[in-house]
Amino acid sequence: MTDEAFMCAALELARKGEGAVNPNPLVGAVVVKDGVVVGRGYHQRYGGPHAEISALANAGKDASGATMYVTLEPCCHHGQTLPCTQQIIAAKIRRVVVACRDPNPLVNGKGIAGLREAGIEVTEGVLEEDARCTNEVFFKFITTGRPYVHLKLATSLDGKIATRTGDSKWITGKAARAEAHRLRRKYSAVLVGVGTVIADDPRLTVRHVSGRNPIRLVLDAEGAIPLAATLLQDGGPITVVTSAMPEEKEQALHALGAEVLRLPGEKDRVDLPALLEYLGEKRVDSVLVEGGSTTAASFLEARLIDKVSFLVAPILLGGRDAVSAVGGIGAECISNAIPLQHVSVKRLGEDIAIIGYPVWTKHTQS
């Protein structure tokens, strides 16, 4: 097998940690000796052993003289665990193959340098782009201190998220809904506008797949959230973000166990950059924005979206009064549209997912 094949196996292991290690990176490692995998490991939970340490423990004495494939540069600093570089050196690994460097300022090349100084051969850049994609959330958070923001919308083929009467359940099928819940499991927080709460009464929990629930955020500038909303009744943590909510409504929400976060902003709009700054300070590394139309437009107009996923059903809703996926003023001309790059498409039952990354230029949405 080639370096690429062994690194591919390490990347598959890394992804098994999705939703359990935030705000740490997803890391997988395999130990190979004489062409045979003798040890496997991945970062399973925040605060738990790193992938390299688990792989070394799994390999035991076979680690001596072996090659380790790891999806992210091994750490060289003391955190909640001992530096991985020290333990790799102690295990007498002969060669380390690294997919990409760790942009954490505490590492960023220092781990690789330490291994080389110890006489270990290091190869860099094997499946680097795949590794960067796997850790796109971590890379954004560790370099900016702000959460990675992913906009996910379920739409009809003609770009609608609800009919003219507001009916939206269910536009997409079971496979697409399971995909949406996998995304909820992956991200630290899920966010909707109060209009979605009023129209759909969502729970915003993980149900169709196994995994932990994200932090639930509702944008509600003026305090319109119904006190009977399901997400206020289930006992789970919920934060309502506001700029002009009446004090009596805030007290009523507190009585239901909800947190109210007051941020600056206009009467009918929350300051979204201030929200992301606050979440970053709380070490919330990622936010899944699920709508609705006005909320999607607000994030896009503020250029705060890092990734877009449209789950598209092969149905046509039609009607000028049906709810468009993205509201707001919109682009004045085609040259002001928001282009996507690195676009991929995958089948989800009868539906399709279109995934891409916005390209922000000085002309976009101007």
Side-chain angles (χ1 to χ4, degrees), residues 92-104:
K92 298 182 180 179
I93 289 286
R94 179 185 63 81
R95 176 179 178 235
V96 176
V97 181
V98 177
C100 62
R101 293 196 174 196
D102 185 343
N104 185 337

Side-chain angles (χ1 to χ4, degrees), residues 119-141:
I120 295 174
E121 178 187 350
V122 179
T123 301
E124 296 184 62
V126 175
L127 298 187
E128 181 173 0
E129 287 305 310
D130 290 344
R132 287 181 174 276
C133 183
T134 296
N135 268 316
E136 58 192 6
V137 167
F138 172 74
F139 276 45
K140 164 76 180 291
F141 182 68

Side-chain angles (χ1 to χ4, degrees), residues 335-348:
S335 61
N336 296 143
I338 304 169
L340 301 180
Q341 64 181 353
H342 307 306
V343 175
S344 61
V345 179
K346 65 178 179 180
R347 191 74 176 262
L348 298 170

Side-chain angles (χ1 to χ4, degrees), residues 127-315:
L127 298 187
E128 181 173 0
E129 287 305 310
D130 290 344
R132 287 181 174 276
C133 183
T134 296
N135 268 316
E136 58 192 6
V137 167
F138 172 74
F139 276 45
K140 164 76 180 291
F141 182 68
I142 200 66
T143 56
T144 69
R146 284 195 170 193
Y148 189 89
V149 183
H150 187 162
L151 173 64
K152 188 278 297 179
L153 294 169
T155 80
S156 64
L157 192 58
D158 52 344
K160 309 297 184 182
I161 59 173
T163 68
R164 58 183 173 80
T165 64
D167 184 30
S168 62
K169 295 181 179 179
W170 298 101
I171 287 178
T172 52
K174 290 183 179 180
R177 294 200 294 276
E179 176 71 8
H181 283 246
R182 277 190 287 270
L183 289 175
R184 286 183 187 174
R185 176 182 65 187
K186 176 180 178 179
Y187 288 90
S188 294
V190 58
L191 180 149
V192 297
V194 69
T196 295
V197 176
I198 294 170
D200 297 342
D201 194 25
R203 284 181 276 179
L204 303 180
T205 54
V206 174
R207 300 185 301 281
H208 296 290
V209 297
S210 61
R212 60 116 175 98
N213 290 322
I215 299 166
R216 296 177 297 174
L217 304 170
V218 177
L219 294 182
D220 184 11
E222 299 179 275
I225 187 170
L227 296 179
T230 297
L231 50 67
L232 293 173
Q233 308 300 322
D234 63 9
I238 172 78
T239 298
V240 182
V241 187
T242 188
S243 57
M245 179 184 292
E247 291 291 338
E248 58 271 21
K249 188 62 172 282
E250 180 175 350
Q251 293 172 7
L253 289 170
H254 282 312
L256 291 171
E259 178 186 356
V260 175
L261 172 62
R262 286 189 178 271
L263 291 175
E266 301 173 8
K267 181 181 179 183
D268 62 345
R269 180 170 293 199
V270 172
D271 185 330
L272 296 180
L275 172 59
L276 296 182
E277 190 75 28
Y278 171 85
L279 293 173
E281 291 172 356
K282 295 295 183 180
R283 294 184 61 77
V284 176
D285 68 347
S286 52
V287 179
L288 179 67
V289 177
E290 292 200 7
S293 178
T294 300
T295 298
S298 295
F299 272 90
L300 287 168
E301 288 168 1
R303 302 185 175 203
L304 297 175
I305 297 296
D306 296 297
K307 187 175 185 177
V308 171
S309 290
F310 272 52
L311 311 184
V312 183
I315 59 173

Side-chain angles (χ1 to χ4, degrees), residues 11-34:
L11 284 166
E12 289 180 7
L13 285 169
R15 296 182 190 111
K16 293 175 69 174
E18 282 188 350
V21 303
N22 309 66
N24 281 353
L26 297 166
V27 185
V30 296
V31 178
V32 177
K33 193 167 189 177
D34 299 325

Side-chain angles (χ1 to χ4, degrees), residues 99-119:
C100 62
R101 293 196 174 196
D102 185 343
N104 185 337
L106 295 174
V107 187
N108 201 11
K110 300 182 184 72
I112 290 171
L115 294 174
R116 285 176 171 155
E117 287 172 5

